[in-house]
Amino acid sequence: MSVTKVLVVGGGFTGLTTAIALAQRGVGVTLVEKAAAWARVGHGLTIQGNALRVFKEIGVIDEVLAKAHSENGVTLYFADGRVMAQLPTPRTGGDGLPATIGALRPDLHEILVTKAESLGVVIRLGLELVSFENHADSATSVLSDGSTESWDVIVVAEGIKSQTRDKLGIVEDRAPTGLGIWRAVTSRRPEMTGGIAYPFDDTGAFKVGYTPVSDTQCYVFVLCPPVRPDNGLEDWQEVKRLMANFHGEFDDLRESIDENTFLNFQEIEWIFVDGPWHQGRVVALGEVVHAVPPLIAQGAALCVEDALLFAEHVTQKGDLQEQLAALHARRIPRIKGVVDASMLLAKWELNPGSPDADPGRVMGQALGALVAAP
């Protein structure tokens, strides 16, 4: 096979899934992560079936489903609580898996870390990739502790804020979407099965939605302008203000948020690298090269697909450069469909009342296109 020794840079879903998939194929893997320690913090996630298909392939699906709440559809609401539509979610992972799950990010991360460690992946925390050098049959890394080592391949999985992307000759950079997002984990009533509500005006949030993550909790997201206003409100008060015009089930969610609720705010940026993802023996995967607004819940799914397919390609017999080019050609059409749909949805979020807006149709079509295996 093309590789036997790989450095993975980044300990998120992309990096860990890459490390696991390679180790399962007999590759020696070292993973470095800039965080000095794993921290059990983070919000909820909506994970689609095509990510679950990857988790099944790498042998963690039972652990993932045990920590998650499964759903097979989503209800769209008007802001006053009336039902707009009830949409079944396409089973992008196949009929044998849930259409979608809600889960806590730290739960999924712990599952992947445990799996990687069980396969002998060497994990080194508190380190970053400072520079690299390509050679004919290897790539040399210089890490932030000053150490230098040679590898068959270096995988850059640092996320959208990657400091290595431009060193690969990639000219695209992350850009604003015009959107910001608040995320929270809070309580829910058992009969609340997940929904997204759309406003009548622009006086509050662009959109509010929630996904159950357990029998009693849910992940709530509030889409809003990209800058946190300096209005004297505490974070929890600001989220309640943004949700003030959303009713029905969203009244319950709003009232469950208080000063003890874990909240996270960030500007939503995006990137899509159409050109090559690699330079020599150094390749970027996941959100380093594609990241979009979380409007179709495909961010994590596309990342772990990258990871699994990368491992499949480079552990076959053949020329590494041809394998990396083939991986790129295979991934671009699938990812571009999600990018185009997500950015169209973002446009509609920013322009409520657009006469051509049909988010349910666009979401359904984009997910439907992902049912076929990548």
Side-chain angles (χ1 to χ4, degrees), residues 132-205:
F132 64 83
E133 185 174 345
N134 272 300
H135 310 284
D137 57 358
S138 66
T140 302
S141 66
V142 177
L143 300 181
S144 52
D145 64 353
S147 62
T148 301
E149 194 165 351
S150 292
W151 315 88
D152 294 323
V153 173
I154 298 173
V155 176
V156 179
E158 300 167 326
I160 191 172
K161 297 181 180 180
S162 171
Q163 299 299 304
T164 308
R165 182 169 45 233
D166 61 345
K167 299 175 185 176
L168 291 169
I170 295 172
V171 297
E172 295 91 343
D173 199 0
R174 68 187 198 269
T177 63
L179 299 171
I181 190 169
W182 284 98
R183 295 180 171 100
V185 176
T186 187
S187 60
R188 70 175 178 94
R189 291 183 280 109
E191 63 270 23
M192 295 170 60
T193 59
I196 301 172
Y198 295 86
F200 293 114
D201 56 42
D202 58 0
T203 60

Side-chain angles (χ1 to χ4, degrees), residues 13 45 47 55 64 101 103-112:
F13 290 168
L45 291 169
I47 301 290
F55 292 150
V64 169
I101 64 167
L104 297 177
R105 179 182 290 272
D107 285 345
L108 297 184
H109 190 265
E110 286 179 0
I111 290 168
L112 294 175

Side-chain angles (χ1 to χ4, degrees), residues 23-262:
Q24 289 173 327
R25 291 162 173 78
V27 177
V29 183
T30 296
L31 182 148
V32 296
E33 161 58 41
K34 67 179 181 180
W38 300 127
R40 188 174 167 78
V41 296
H43 48 74
L45 291 169
T46 304
I47 301 290
Q48 302 285 0
N50 51 320
L52 300 181
R53 177 161 47 202
V54 174
F55 292 150
K56 181 178 180 180
E57 178 69 23
I58 65 173
V60 297
I61 189 63
D62 291 341
E63 293 91 335
V64 169
L65 293 181
K67 289 286 189 178
H69 186 93
S70 302
E71 294 290 347
N72 293 314
V74 63
T75 303
L76 304 185
Y77 293 93
F78 294 103
D80 60 10
R82 289 178 296 131
V83 172
M84 180 187 306
Q86 292 180 320
L87 303 177
T89 304
R91 291 182 176 271
T92 56
D95 292 338
L97 293 167
T100 184
I101 64 167
L104 297 177
R105 179 182 290 272
D107 285 345
L108 297 184
H109 190 265
E110 286 179 0
I111 290 168
L112 294 175
V113 169
T114 299
K115 184 68 173 182
E117 290 175 338
S118 75
L119 292 166
V121 174
V122 177
I123 297 177
R124 301 174 63 191
L125 300 179
L127 291 176
E128 297 181 69
L129 178 66
V130 175
S131 63
F132 64 83
E133 185 174 345
N134 272 300
H135 310 284
D137 57 358
S138 66
T140 302
S141 66
V142 177
L143 300 181
S144 52
D145 64 353
S147 62
T148 301
E149 194 165 351
S150 292
W151 315 88
D152 294 323
V153 173
I154 298 173
V155 176
V156 179
E158 300 167 326
I160 191 172
K161 297 181 180 180
S162 171
Q163 299 299 304
T164 308
R165 182 169 45 233
D166 61 345
K167 299 175 185 176
L168 291 169
I170 295 172
V171 297
E172 295 91 343
D173 199 0
R174 68 187 198 269
T177 63
L179 299 171
I181 190 169
W182 284 98
R183 295 180 171 100
V185 176
T186 187
S187 60
R188 70 175 178 94
R189 291 183 280 109
E191 63 270 23
M192 295 170 60
T193 59
I196 301 172
Y198 295 86
F200 293 114
D201 56 42
D202 58 0
T203 60
F206 297 146
K207 182 171 70 177
V208 177
Y210 75 97
T211 299
V213 297
S214 72
D215 290 340
T216 59
Q217 286 188 308
C218 64
Y219 153 56
V220 178
F221 61 88
V222 179
L223 216 61
C224 61
V227 177
R228 165 68 159 99
D230 183 14
N231 54 11
L233 298 178
E234 299 292 333
D235 286 350
W236 64 277
Q237 294 171 322
E238 171 64 6
V239 172
K240 289 169 79 81
R241 181 189 71 81
L242 290 167
M243 295 178 66
N245 294 331
F246 293 80
H247 301 293
E249 294 184 339
F250 299 92
D251 287 319
D252 291 344
L253 295 175
R254 183 181 60 255
E255 293 310 309
S256 71
I257 293 171
D258 59 26
E259 64 271 21
N260 298 312
T261 304
F262 173 78

Side-chain angles (χ1 to χ4, degrees), residues 1 3-6 19 21-29 119-121 152 311 314-315:
M1 60 186 176
V3 302
T4 59
K5 182 183 179 185
V6 173
L22 288 170
Q24 289 173 327
R25 291 162 173 78
V27 177
V29 183
L119 292 166
V121 174
D152 294 323
V314 303
T315 54

